[in-house]
Amino acid sequence: MAKEKQVFFCQECGFESSKWMGQCPSCKGWNTFCEEKITVGTRKQSDRRAFVVPTSILEVVSEGETRFSTGLEELNRVLGGGIVSGSLVLVGGDPGIGKSTILLQMCRNLAQQGQKVLYVSGEESLSQIKMRAERIGQFTKDMLLLCVNNLEDVEEYLSKDKPKVIIIDSIQTIVAEDISSAPGSVSQVKEVTARLMQIAKQKNISIFIVGHVTKEGTVAGPRNLEHMVDTVLYFEGDGKAGFRILRAVKNRFGSTNEIGVFEMTETGLVEVANPSKVMLDGRAENTSGSVAVCTMEGTRPIILEIQALVCQTSFNIPRRTSVGFDYNRVNLLLAVLEKRVGMSLAACDAYVNIAGGMRLDDPSADLGIVYALVSSYRNRPVDEGLVAFGEVGLSGEVRGVSSVEQRVNEAKKLGFSTCIVPKSNLDSLKKIEGIRIIGVSNIAEALDYI
Ligand code: TYD
Ligand code: MG
């Protein structure tokens, strides 16, 4: 007998509880619990499966993954070299960031290559999609649209036809009829995703799922699904600014360090092949507190501008703010400057910003931040042709970083004249010519150069 049971789910992280709670004990979100009904069936004796025999690993024939291109180089890179047949990909991001747009562009390219794609939309009508498609470009007849809100309709269609790729836009608007909870609830999105996973693996169709990230907690966030899918991509960036960054958070078929950079224009998203150049665009000339650093995003070096502002505080406790970089690390670097260089920063507000809306979690930016802070404190500009990188330790030492050669070459390519690098990395840079390379072993030495 199947029985209906009432449970409460945190719509952010999927935590299950038998009673309502104000704060989720797992993700600490407030007011995120929603009531859902689930059916718990007791399985009959006759439902038991026949005896299952495991296979020896030596008998398994590996098929090797087959990949095909999305027609967008940046997207291919983030996916680890193209779409893997039969994979399930989750594309998460804030509403309005461009998830539908990038997937529609991908569909256009696939259809032009002669692959059949099915775009299932539970959000927009056929004519709305058509209007958007007209801005993006020319489509062929292999691009099929389906505006439905339940999974059964999609399954029905798939029993007759087999597209190469399916887009589900979005998971929060598609329901499975045999689950009684509302669209977008935790049990719905989990059930629909699990069934899409089965379709992907059994029929060897690649499926892309769109998932909105929400703050209100009224619809289940994509975090609930991360463990169920093969690849998780997040689309981020400032909604107003033009740049969008696509980042792989999980990838069963490739590296998770890669990023793709796009720009939103009138006619859809345009790939940014040389992010360093774009990130440095509009850099103010001859101002204090601005320094270029070189960070690695996956296999790609990117040069970014770090900005710092240090000024006399008008509060009892100085303000420290960091945008795009770890706040605690900025405080740590301020403390190192205070103790090892003797700068008195206790009465100063300090603000650090990574220009271009990028987010950095690479410790090699430390040296650049130190330079920017000191430059702003002394109100003296740093040479614009200078790039600095290196990790700064608590005793003020500058530690070596990875991929130095690539970083220096990127700086050289963009016309920088000087590179400040950790001394321990100098050995691997002997072959590079045409750019001045200076090795430093601690911040006192590093500050002597500016
Ligand atoms: P959209 O893909 O609808 O976002 P999501 O699916 O992630 O919610 O993109 C939304 C924004 O992009 C919208 O504000 C309009 C803008 N946009 C352009 O600027 N140019 C274009 O060519 C398109 C199609 C959209
Ligand atoms: Mg959309």
Side-chain angles (χ1 to χ4, degrees):
M1 259 294 284
K3 246 182 18 196
E4 218 165 58
K5 192 179 132 196
Q6 266 182 352
V7 282
F8 293 85
F9 283 106
C10 168
Q11 304 295 309
E12 279 298 311
C13 69
F15 186 84
E16 186 181 331
S17 158
S18 56
K19 60 181 195 321
W20 188 87
M21 279 186 277
Q23 186 187 25
C24 171
S26 169
C27 70
K28 306 285 180 240
W30 287 96
N31 209 8
T32 55
F33 276 89
C34 258
E35 182 185 338
E36 290 179 27
K37 289 196 174 68
I38 55 167
T39 25
V40 279
T42 42
R43 196 189 270 181
K44 279 182 273 167
Q45 201 68 21
S46 56
D47 286 350
R48 289 265 165 82
R49 303 251 170 80
F51 189 65
V52 185
V53 191
T55 316
S56 156
I57 191 161
L58 298 178
E59 288 163 23
V60 180
V61 190
S62 77
E63 286 169 354
E65 58 204 33
T66 46
R67 287 186 188 263
F68 50 98
S69 165
T70 60
L72 292 164
E73 261 324 299
E74 296 286 298
L75 182 57
N76 283 347
R77 185 209 316 273
V78 179
L79 287 169
I83 310 173
V84 176
S85 299
S87 63
L88 185 63
V89 181
L90 173 69
V91 183
D94 294 330
I97 197 85
K99 301 180 293 297
S100 307
T101 309
I102 192 172
L103 291 174
L104 210 57
Q105 278 179 265
M106 181 184 87
C107 289
R108 185 197 60 176
N109 297 342
L110 289 171
Q112 273 172 354
Q113 292 166 22
Q115 322 253 32
K116 193 180 265 184
V117 283
L118 174 68
Y119 190 96
V120 181
S121 178
E123 294 188 344
E124 292 166 300
S125 67
L126 289 174
S127 61
Q128 273 177 309
I129 301 175
K130 174 81 182 177
M131 261 158 56
R132 184 202 298 265
E134 274 165 358
R135 291 171 74 173
I136 289 172
Q138 210 68 50
F139 280 76
T140 67
K141 66 172 192 353
D142 284 323
M143 164 90 192
L144 305 171
L145 300 176
L146 194 60
C147 288
V148 293
N149 283 97
N150 61 47
L151 188 61
E152 283 73 14
D153 288 347
V154 181
E155 284 172 340
E156 165 78 26
Y157 167 76
L158 290 179
S159 63
K160 285 179 249 141
D161 196 5
K162 186 180 170 241
K164 183 95 177 156
V165 175
I166 302 177
I167 316 291
I168 304 288
D169 189 4
S170 67
I171 188 76
Q172 284 120 341
T173 54
I174 305 280
V175 294
E177 274 169 2
D178 45 2
I179 302 276
S180 53
S181 12
S185 61
V186 174
S187 25
Q188 279 290 3
V189 294
K190 281 193 171 165
E191 171 70 16
V192 175
T193 308
R195 273 164 63 183
L196 288 171
M197 187 64 158
Q198 267 177 7
I199 295 172
K201 300 295 162 201
Q202 280 167 5
K203 300 188 186 255
N204 201 24
I205 300 175
S206 308
I207 303 183
F208 284 74
I209 299 175
V210 173
H212 293 294
V213 174
T214 55
K215 301 234 158 38
E216 300 79 36
T218 44
V219 288
R223 296 224 160 258
N224 288 302
L225 310 174
E226 282 181 357
H227 64 283
M228 302 172 75
V229 300
D230 293 317
T231 302
V232 180
L233 309 181
Y234 274 101
F235 216 6
E236 41 191 67
D238 191 346
K240 316 270 178 331
F243 293 106
R244 307 290 149 92
I245 291 156
L246 190 65
R247 204 181 277 276
V249 179
K250 163 182 171 181
N251 196 350
R252 287 193 184 140
F253 309 110
S255 141
T256 52
N257 296 321
E258 298 295 345
I259 64 161
V261 185
F262 296 87
E263 188 179 4
M264 185 60 98
T265 66
E266 280 292 290
T267 52
L269 289 154
V270 179
E271 299 176 80
V272 177
N274 190 350
S276 302
K277 198 152 171 278
V278 178
M279 293 293 165
L280 291 173
D281 246 8
R283 191 175 169 194
E285 281 171 28
N286 231 345
T287 43
S288 63
S290 156
V291 175
V293 296
C294 190
T295 167
M296 295 297 292
E297 289 286 355
T299 51
R300 200 156 49 152
I302 296 183
I303 296 201
L304 295 169
E305 179 195 353
I306 302 228
Q307 300 175 327
L309 189 69
V310 179
C311 53
Q312 211 66 38
T313 184
S314 45
F315 306 100
N316 288 335
I317 302 168
R319 268 181 77 109
R320 265 92 210 249
T321 307
S322 164
V323 180
F325 194 73
D326 183 16
Y327 171 77
N328 292 321
R329 208 154 175 98
V330 171
N331 276 330
L332 185 149
L333 294 172
L334 285 166
V336 170
L337 277 176
E338 183 122 30
K339 180 91 178 168
R340 307 287 166 201
V341 190
M343 279 165 62
S344 60
L345 293 160
C348 295
D349 290 341
Y351 305 88
V352 171
N353 176 39
I354 314 286
M358 281 284 283
R359 209 187 61 211
L360 261 188
D361 47 11
D362 184 357
S364 70
D366 288 357
L367 190 57
I369 292 179
V370 165
Y371 271 161
L373 287 167
V374 174
S375 153
S376 176
Y377 178 75
R378 304 219 167 117
N379 206 13
R380 265 193 255 149
V382 176
D383 173 17
E384 268 161 44
L386 180 140
V387 175
F389 54 83
E391 182 182 343
V392 174
L394 285 185
S395 46
E397 81 276 20
V398 177
R399 292 161 169 260
V401 295
S402 61
S403 327
V404 259
E405 233 176 312
Q406 273 170 289
R407 296 182 205 240
V408 174
N409 277 327
E410 176 78 5
K412 190 173 137 189
K413 211 167 75 192
L414 283 158
F416 283 89
S417 58
T418 313
C419 257
I420 311 277
V421 304
K423 204 166 227 162
S424 55
N425 283 136
L426 275 182
D427 281 350
S428 49
L429 297 172
K430 281 192 184 121
K431 279 183 256 121
I432 300 178
E433 279 165 15
I435 182 164
R436 201 153 67 103
I437 299 170
I438 296 161
V440 293
S441 54
N442 56 52
I443 48 174
E445 223 175 274
L447 291 177
D448 282 347
Y449 281 97
I450 52 169

